[in-house]
Amino acid sequence: MNTYELTGVALDWAVTSIEEPSALKYGVEDWLDKRQHETRDGFFVHRYSTVWAQGGEIIEREQMCVQPSLNEDAWFAATDEDYFAYGNTPLVAVMRCYVA
């Protein structure tokens, strides 16, 4: 799948693979299973693309720009290194940009 098309669980997995490379030892299927049982066994899975408290840390740390796009119902995110992406929400746009 193209980075600029990632959404939901796939986008969160891509960001997690950057933020916590040790999480890759679980593989996608195990990660998804643990995501469903995160409170029971203490395993915490990030939801960067939907939870501002998690995705916002990346925006601030990486000094990313996010703003409404001129396109209808879209958001634009960019870095100072000329990476950019669009999304239907600010967090989706930023996380796509971060993965790119």
Side-chain angles (χ1 to χ4, degrees):
M1 178 176 271
N2 185 330
T3 300
Y4 299 106
E5 296 173 353
L6 290 173
T7 60
V9 172
L11 181 54
D12 291 335
W13 170 249
V15 175
T16 299
S17 70
I18 296 168
E19 290 290 300
E20 300 175 25
S22 64
L24 293 174
K25 68 182 177 184
Y26 291 105
V28 175
E29 293 302 319
D30 290 338
W31 186 77
L32 291 173
D33 183 55
K34 288 188 177 295
R35 181 177 178 149
Q36 294 172 2
H37 302 96
E38 65 189 45
T39 56
R40 186 179 65 184
D41 62 9
F43 185 87
F44 182 75
V45 177
H46 294 286
R47 289 177 167 81
Y48 296 105
S49 67
T50 56
V51 177
W52 275 97
Q54 296 173 13
E57 291 180 11
I58 294 173
I59 295 170
E60 185 175 342
R61 183 187 69 224
E62 301 296 324
Q63 299 179 346
M64 300 178 81
C65 170
V66 61
Q67 63 188 39
S69 170
L70 297 176
N71 300 334
E72 56 190 70
D73 298 326
W75 289 83
F76 173 80
T79 68
D80 59 357
E81 294 148 4
D82 295 329
Y83 290 103
F84 65 91
Y86 294 91
N88 61 333
T89 70
L91 283 176
V92 169
V94 168
M95 294 306 115
R96 285 176 177 170
C97 183
Y98 183 60
V99 172

